[in-house]
Amino acid sequence: MEQVHIDFRDQISRNKRNSFFLMFVVVCVLVLFGYVISLAFEPGFFFIIMIIAIVFSLSYTLLSYYNSDKIAVASVRAKNASRAEHGDFYRLVEGLTIASGMPMPTLYVMPSEQINAFASGRDPQHAVICVTKGALEKLDRRELEGVLAHELSHVANYDIRYITLVTVMVGMVAIISELFLRSLWFSSGDGDSKNPIFIFIGIALAILAPIVVQLVQLAISRKREYVADATAVKYTRNPSGLIKALEKIKVDVVKPEKKISKAVAPLFFANPFKGMASTHPPLDKRIEILKRM
Amino acid sequence: MLLWLWILIIVAVLIGGALFYYFNRFALLGNRIDNSLSQIDVQLKRRADLIPNLIETVKGFAKHEKEAIKAVTDARKALVGAKDIEGKIKADKGLEGALGRLFAIAEGYPDLKANTNFLELQRELTSTEDKVAYSRQFYNDSILSYNNLCKTFPGIMFAGLYGKKEREYLQLVEAEKKVVKVSFD
C-alpha cells in the first residue's frame, strides 16, 4: 500500500531543490564523461576536450531548462490551440486558473486518438498544457476538466520543471553513451595511444548511465500522479469528473502511440504505452483513491 | 563575554528575520484575498455583459417567449444594480435560474438550438457560471490560508503585533453549490 502524504508546499520546495540538484549532477556527469573519453582516446588533447565538455554540458543544460516546454511540445508535434476552434478547452482552463490562482498557461493540441494530456515548462509563468485530439473528442466537459485540473496541478507543484528536466537529461545521456560506444567500435584497432583502463571505465559508464537514469525516471512519476490527482480535486471539488475520465481511458481501445518517444512518457496524464513497464501508477489504484475522497 | 555577544546578535537576526517574513506573509495573503474578491466581480460583470447578446439572438427565433426573456433581462438588471458582493451573488443566483428556464424553452426551437451564435453564448454563459463559482472558491481558500496564518503559532504572535484579524468568509448557501444544470447534449 503506497502511502500518499500530501503537503503541497513540501512538494513544491522538494521539486525545486531536486531540479537544481539534477542539473548540477548532469553537468558533473557530462564533465566526467569528457574526462574519461579524453583520457581513453587522446590524453594529448585533454584540455581541449575538457573545455568542450564543460561548455557543451553547461549550454545544453541551460538551453534545455529554458526551452523545455518548446522541446516537449515539438517532440509530439503538437499545435497551438486556437480559441475559436477549441473554445471549451480554453474556457475550462480559464476556470481552473481562477480556482487555483495561477497564470494562464499556453494551450496545445496534439494529433493522437488516445485520451491523454501533458504539461510542461520551467515554472507556472512559462507553462504549457497539451491535450490529445482524442481527449477533446471523447471526454465530456467535466471529465476533460478533471484531466486539465490534474495537468494544472503538475504546473502548480513544479512537477513540470523536474520531470521535463529529467526527460531532457535522459535523452542526452542516452545519446552520449551511444556515441561513445559507437566511436569505440569504429576506431578499434588503430594506434596504441589508448589507455585500456580508461576505455573500460568509459564502457562501464556508458552502459550504466542510461540504466541509472531510467530508474530515476521511473521513480519520479508515481507519487506525483497521486498528488496531482488530489490537487485536481482540490481545484474542482469534484472527483467524479476525474474518475470518469480515468475509467474512459481504461476501456478506450486505441493503438499504442508510436510517435511519442519513450522519454516524454512520464509527462503524460496516463501511460501512452499500455502495459509497458509503467511510469504511472495503475489506473484502478488512482480511481480507488479518488473514490475515497 | 564575546560568546554572549554572538548569541545576542544571532537572536536579534532571527527575530528581525521573522518580523520581516511574517510582515510580508500577511501582506501577500491579504493582497490575494483582495485580488480574488475583485476576480468574483470581474466574472459577474462578464456574465452580465453576455446577456444582451443572448437576448438579441433568442428574440430572432423565439420572439413570443416574452415572459422568459423578460425574466432574464430583469435578473440582469438586478445583478448590475446590486451594490455589494453579497447582493451581486444573490442576484446572480436569480439570473442563473432565469437563464436555466430560457435555455429549457430554447430546446423547443430547433433553429435556435442549431444557431452557432446561440450555442457559443450558451457555452460561454455556462463557463462563466463555473468561473463565478471558482472565483468564490478561491476567495474562500485565500481567506482560509490567511486565517490559518492568524490562528496558528507562531503567526498568531505576529498577527497580534501587526494588528491583523481573521477575515470573514463569503457566506455560501449550501443549495447554491448545486449549479442549475444547463444541458445541451
Side-chain angles (χ1 to χ4, degrees):
Chain A
M1 196 81 182
E2 272 172 280
Q3 275 290 319
V4 186
H5 284 293
I6 292 155
D7 186 324
F8 303 104
R9 211 175 294 168
D10 273 8
Q11 183 74 12
I12 293 169
S13 46
R14 191 163 43 238
N15 273 327
K16 285 184 178 170
R17 201 173 50 237
N18 286 352
S19 300
F20 179 77
F21 183 68
L22 181 76
M23 285 167 75
F24 180 75
V25 166
V26 164
V27 170
C28 291
V29 166
L30 283 181
V31 171
L32 185 70
F33 251 131
Y35 178 74
V36 172
I37 290 172
S38 66
L39 288 183
F41 287 117
E42 297 291 346
F45 293 122
F46 175 71
F47 281 106
I48 295 173
I49 293 180
M50 280 308 285
I51 288 168
I52 293 174
I54 290 169
V55 169
F56 173 79
S57 59
L58 277 178
S59 50
Y60 187 97
T61 311
L62 289 176
L63 270 178
S64 58
Y65 178 69
Y66 282 107
N67 296 299
S68 52
D69 49 342
K70 292 175 205 105
I71 296 169
V73 164
S75 79
V76 295
R77 298 186 187 86
K79 291 208 174 60
N80 232 312
S82 73
R83 200 168 208 292
E85 204 182 335
H86 304 289
D88 269 339
F89 183 19
Y90 266 89
R91 281 185 285 258
L92 288 173
V93 176
E94 278 165 7
L96 290 168
T97 57
I98 292 171
S100 57
M102 298 234 300
M104 182 76 187
T106 319
L107 305 183
Y108 286 87
V109 176
M110 62 179 275
S112 163
E113 293 309 308
Q114 282 194 351
I115 301 174
N116 225 331
F118 73 86
S120 179
R122 65 179 184 277
D123 55 32
Q125 280 72 35
H126 303 86
V128 301
I129 287 185
C130 176
V131 295
T132 58
K133 216 168 116 270
L136 291 176
E137 282 162 4
K138 293 173 195 167
L139 298 179
D140 73 16
R141 268 181 81 238
R142 290 294 165 213
E143 292 159 2
L144 185 60
E145 185 177 48
V147 173
L148 294 173
H150 172 103
E151 294 309 323
L152 201 64
S153 318
H154 279 316
V155 175
N157 296 343
Y158 279 80
D159 289 336
I160 47 168
R161 175 185 287 184
Y162 186 64
I163 298 180
T164 322
L165 274 174
V166 171
T167 303
V168 176
M169 302 305 166
V170 173
M172 183 179 53
V173 172
I175 290 170
I176 291 183
S177 47
E178 190 96 329
L179 275 180
F180 178 72
L181 289 176
R182 277 172 200 223
S183 69
L184 266 186
W185 183 258
F186 283 117
S187 64
S188 64
D190 60 287
D192 42 20
S193 64
K194 285 179 245 165
N195 186 331
I197 296 169
F198 283 110
I199 290 182
F200 177 74
I201 295 175
I203 293 173
L205 270 180
I207 292 170
L208 282 178
I211 297 172
V212 170
V213 173
Q214 191 83 44
L215 288 176
V216 171
Q217 194 186 11
L218 281 175
I220 57 171
S221 297
R222 290 170 156 256
K223 190 178 169 195
R224 270 159 232 270
E225 295 307 315
Y226 293 128
V227 176
D229 281 347
T231 319
V233 174
K234 184 186 146 212
Y235 294 160
T236 62
R237 308 275 152 103
N238 169 24
S240 71
L242 194 50
I243 291 172
K244 279 196 232 146
L246 287 167
E247 274 163 356
K248 263 194 190 164
I249 291 172
K250 218 170 78 181
V251 296
D252 193 37
V253 261
V254 274
K255 292 189 294 283
E257 201 54 61
K258 287 205 188 77
K259 271 185 255 163
I260 299 173
S261 123
K262 264 184 219 163
V264 293
L267 288 174
F268 278 90
F269 177 71
N271 185 10
F273 322 100
K274 278 186 183 167
M276 234 192 58
S278 190
T279 52
H280 285 66
L283 291 173
D284 285 326
K285 179 85 190 169
R286 285 168 74 183
I287 293 170
E288 187 200 313
I289 289 178
L290 281 167
K291 277 190 174 155
R292 271 191 263 134
M293 282 181 186
Chain B
M1 195 55 211
L2 199 63
L3 182 72
W4 281 110
L5 194 67
W6 274 114
I7 291 174
L8 211 68
I9 290 174
I10 289 170
V11 169
V13 167
L14 281 179
I15 291 177
L19 281 171
F20 211 68
Y21 175 79
Y22 277 96
F23 185 83
N24 285 346
R25 203 82 205 124
F26 276 112
L28 191 100
L29 293 181
N31 279 345
R32 192 190 288 171
I33 293 175
D34 299 338
N35 257 332
S36 48
L37 186 65
S38 64
Q39 182 67 251
I40 302 178
D41 225 30
V42 169
Q43 294 307 328
L44 287 171
K45 185 167 179 318
R46 250 184 72 73
R47 205 159 149 74
D49 290 347
L50 287 167
I51 302 292
N53 246 328
L54 178 81
I55 296 297
E56 282 313 304
T57 316
V58 171
K59 272 184 182 163
F61 293 89
K63 212 174 253 163
H64 44 272
E65 301 287 355
K66 289 213 174 68
E67 211 173 306
I69 292 174
K70 189 170 179 303
V72 173
T73 329
D74 288 348
R76 177 184 180 270
K77 265 189 206 136
L79 172 58
V80 177
K83 292 274 181 306
D84 57 348
I85 198 81
E86 262 95 8
K88 281 183 189 167
I89 287 173
K90 217 172 145 205
D92 183 54
K93 250 189 81 184
L95 180 60
E96 224 172 86
L99 274 176
R101 284 191 292 281
L102 186 68
F103 288 143
I105 288 171
E107 290 295 303
Y109 295 83
D111 289 347
L112 178 59
K113 249 174 50 183
N115 183 281
T116 45
N117 203 7
F118 176 75
L119 282 175
E120 190 60 24
L121 281 165
Q122 194 179 28
R123 283 195 199 117
E124 201 66 56
L125 278 164
T126 324
S127 103
T128 47
E129 201 172 280
D130 283 357
K131 286 174 188 169
V132 170
Y134 279 146
S135 56
R136 282 166 46 183
Q137 178 185 311
F138 188 61
Y139 178 73
N140 279 341
D141 284 352
S142 310
I143 289 187
L144 178 70
S145 359
Y146 188 88
N147 288 353
N148 280 345
L149 188 67
C150 285
K151 270 295 191 191
T152 52
F153 188 82
I156 192 164
M157 301 189 325
F158 296 94
L161 191 66
Y162 295 132
K164 304 284 179 190
K165 291 198 180 64
E166 274 184 273
R167 303 267 200 118
E168 288 275 328
Y169 289 97
L170 258 186
Q171 289 308 313
L172 286 184
V173 186
E174 219 12 73
E176 270 182 63
K177 291 206 84 175
K178 288 193 199 91
V179 176
V180 178
K181 192 161 164 62
V182 182
S183 82
F184 44 89
D185 43 23

